[in-house]
Amino acid sequence: MSKNAKFDRTEVIEKATNLYWEKGYHGTSMRNLQTAIDLRPGSIYATFGSKDNLFKEAINHYAAQTGNLLQDCLDQSATPLTGLKLFIKKLIIDNLDGKPSCMCMIVKSLSELTESDNKELLDEVKKILSNIENRLAGIITDAIDADELDQSKDAMELASYLQVQIIGLRTYARLNNNKEIVNKFIDQIFVGAPFH
Amino acid sequence: MSKNAKFDRTEVIEKATNLYWEKGYHGTSMRNLQTAIDLRPGSIYATFGSKDNLFKEAINHYAAQTGNLLQDCLDQSATPLTGLKLFIKKLIIDNLDGKPSCMCMIVKSLSELTESDNKELLDEVKKILSNIENRLAGIITDAIDADELDQSKDAMELASYLQVQIIGLRTYARLNNNKEIVNKFIDQIFVGAPFH
DNA sequence: TTAATAATAGAACACTCGTTCATTATACAT
DNA sequence: ATGTATAATGAACGAGTGTTCTATTATTAA
């Protein structure tokens, strides 16, 4: 009766994600995207509706990807905290080269979007970061339940602390891409206050 | 023989800084700037040359302002480390409301500018952050010399650590503007590893 | 083979971008 | 008061923005 799209939707979103990740929302033009994903405006707008909506799909794709990495790390680790630590190391050390940016795309977006000009996208970004925090808190709760952390610990507080550390390290890595010192700082996250 | 500019150059830079700080480099248009600083294109371009150059002056103004705050905090504190801690508290807690952004303008710029599209500005930003790190290292060296920290400490490493913490906290504050927890985290910077 | 349907291409739209420039206004030296 | 140098104005430029739309192409059911 009709014909199907000849491009792979997921592949297109992946390419769009990488461009947005590198250049940011404002720094990426629809013309940039057209060439990067090799689609003409008609197809893009028929499929995604708008630049904003494509960005929304891109950043959610990025978040899902990151969530998968976290789950993989937990699955291949003996305890919640060692899984968490592996995740942070993979996220920061392994992402230093070859990726669109060593920084977190979600944090980059949190940084550039404004309440006045991009409220809807900003809310989406905050929602995603809040979900991540809850996910981290859940893992920390698992660690408490498994006696890997003592019961006096506040899971939400430690999750906040982890977010601060990850954000700080990934951003700092853009300035000073030094694997040795980043590695050292990651180890220290789990030994000092507030973890012990 | 001629007439002098009737606007105050510093005042104009201040207004430009606040707009760039809030909206970022790409999010701020020359039209936005024209209305914010109340100057027509001719005057702006005669005075500052280009959008890029105005941004450069703005971010250096921001850095100088932040440097002054740091110096004030050191001057009114008994020791280097207490001065540093006061600085961080003022920077983060007091900046939560009323400022164009609770995030650091320099970090926002580091986040949005790219090697491919804005190399010159990005290099300026990295230079500024590197200067800040050296400044922090100097203060930590003072702390070591004053026996506030023991001599085994590596000033540059602690300075990096401080940068990570400040970047992480200020960015996190945009997500979760919670003075109590931010305050707690600031206190913890100086009690856990790698400081003690 | 034909008719129906949807995907695609790419020209074009209205608008905004950073920037330039001819003009007008202003202030000081003579 | 007048001439001169400079500051300020704001219309205008070409290029780029996000988006729309029509014509074309491709696919599948009948």
Side-chain angles (χ1 to χ4, degrees):
Chain A
M1 209 178 190
S2 76
K3 75 171 184 180
N4 300 327
K6 75 164 185 246
F7 61 86
D8 179 355
R9 200 178 198 279
T10 315
E11 204 173 289
V12 163
I13 290 180
E14 187 117 354
K15 284 177 184 164
T17 302
N18 287 341
L19 199 63
Y20 275 129
W21 185 3
E22 184 203 345
K23 289 178 176 296
Y25 174 79
H26 288 110
T28 305
S29 73
M30 290 307 289
R31 301 288 199 283
N32 293 154
L33 284 162
Q34 284 163 38
T35 56
I37 69 187
D38 193 28
L39 282 180
R40 262 39 63 194
S43 303
I44 300 180
Y45 278 84
T47 312
F48 300 104
S50 68
K51 185 190 179 184
D52 276 41
N53 201 69
L54 178 52
F55 182 82
K56 211 184 260 187
E57 297 218 27
I59 200 160
N60 275 299
H61 173 77
Y62 175 90
Q65 245 181 207
T66 308
N68 290 342
L69 176 64
L70 172 55
Q71 193 55 54
D72 289 348
C73 289
L74 290 170
D75 289 344
Q76 68 189 79
S77 299
T79 69
L81 287 193
T82 52
L84 220 38
K85 193 167 172 178
L86 178 64
F87 168 66
I88 296 174
K89 293 215 172 183
K90 287 216 172 195
L91 202 59
I92 300 176
I93 313 276
D94 297 357
N95 262 17
L96 283 181
D97 313 301
K99 292 296 170 77
S101 171
C102 59
M103 285 188 64
C104 172
M105 180 183 172
I106 311 167
V107 171
K108 287 187 69 167
S109 305
L110 179 73
S111 165
E112 90 160 304
L113 300 174
T114 62
E115 203 76 46
S116 51
D117 297 331
N118 323 96
K119 176 155 177 44
E120 199 181 320
L121 288 182
L122 181 59
D123 286 344
E124 185 77 12
V125 166
K126 288 183 177 178
K127 195 193 74 193
I128 292 172
L129 277 168
S130 163
N131 289 344
I132 294 174
E133 190 157 333
N134 289 332
R135 182 84 201 285
L136 294 175
I139 296 164
I140 291 164
T141 303
D142 292 344
I144 294 171
D145 292 345
D147 276 328
E148 197 179 9
L149 283 172
D150 74 62
Q151 293 196 310
S152 67
K153 296 298 173 193
D154 178 340
M156 271 314 281
E157 185 188 317
L158 292 188
S160 300
Y161 183 75
L162 279 181
Q163 292 255 63
V164 170
Q165 300 305 313
I166 295 169
I167 291 170
L169 278 169
R170 290 188 81 177
T171 305
Y172 183 79
R174 179 152 171 71
L175 186 64
N176 179 10
N177 188 323
N178 180 331
K179 299 195 185 200
E180 197 185 337
I181 198 151
V182 170
N183 231 318
K184 190 170 182 183
F185 286 164
I186 295 172
D187 288 332
Q188 284 171 344
I189 293 175
F190 296 95
V191 302
F195 264 89
H196 284 101
Chain B
M1 209 177 188
S2 76
K3 73 171 187 180
N4 300 326
K6 74 166 185 243
F7 61 85
D8 179 353
R9 200 179 197 279
T10 314
E11 205 174 287
V12 164
I13 290 179
E14 187 117 356
K15 285 177 184 164
T17 302
N18 287 341
L19 200 63
Y20 274 129
W21 185 3
E22 185 203 346
K23 291 178 177 293
Y25 174 79
H26 288 110
T28 305
S29 72
M30 290 308 288
R31 302 286 200 284
N32 293 155
L33 284 163
Q34 284 162 40
T35 56
I37 68 187
D38 193 29
L39 282 179
R40 263 36 66 195
S43 303
I44 300 180
Y45 279 84
T47 313
F48 300 104
S50 68
K51 185 189 179 185
D52 276 41
N53 201 70
L54 178 52
F55 182 83
K56 211 184 260 187
E57 296 218 28
I59 200 160
N60 275 298
H61 174 77
Y62 175 90
Q65 246 181 208
T66 308
N68 290 342
L69 176 64
L70 172 55
Q71 194 54 53
D72 288 349
C73 290
L74 290 170
D75 289 343
Q76 68 189 80
S77 299
T79 70
L81 287 192
T82 53
L84 219 39
K85 194 169 171 177
L86 178 64
F87 168 66
I88 297 174
K89 293 215 171 182
K90 288 216 171 195
L91 202 60
I92 300 175
I93 312 277
D94 297 358
N95 262 17
L96 283 181
D97 313 302
K99 292 296 170 76
S101 170
C102 59
M103 286 189 64
C104 172
M105 179 182 173
I106 311 167
V107 172
K108 286 186 70 168
S109 306
L110 179 73
S111 165
E112 91 161 304
L113 300 175
T114 62
E115 203 75 47
S116 52
D117 296 332
N118 324 96
K119 175 153 178 45
E120 199 181 320
L121 288 183
L122 181 59
D123 286 345
E124 184 76 12
V125 165
K126 288 183 177 178
K127 195 193 73 193
I128 291 173
L129 277 168
S130 164
N131 288 344
I132 294 175
E133 190 156 333
N134 289 333
R135 182 84 200 285
L136 293 175
I139 296 164
I140 291 164
T141 301
D142 292 344
I144 294 171
D145 292 344
D147 275 329
E148 198 180 8
L149 283 173
D150 75 62
Q151 293 195 309
S152 67
K153 295 298 173 194
D154 178 341
M156 273 311 282
E157 186 188 318
L158 291 188
S160 300
Y161 184 74
L162 279 181
Q163 292 255 64
V164 171
Q165 300 304 315
I166 296 169
I167 291 170
L169 278 169
R170 290 188 81 176
T171 305
Y172 183 79
R174 177 152 173 70
L175 186 64
N176 179 10
N177 187 325
N178 180 331
K179 298 194 186 202
E180 198 186 338
I181 198 151
V182 170
N183 231 318
K184 190 170 182 183
F185 286 165
I186 295 173
D187 288 334
Q188 284 171 344
I189 292 174
F190 296 95
V191 301
F195 263 89
H196 283 101

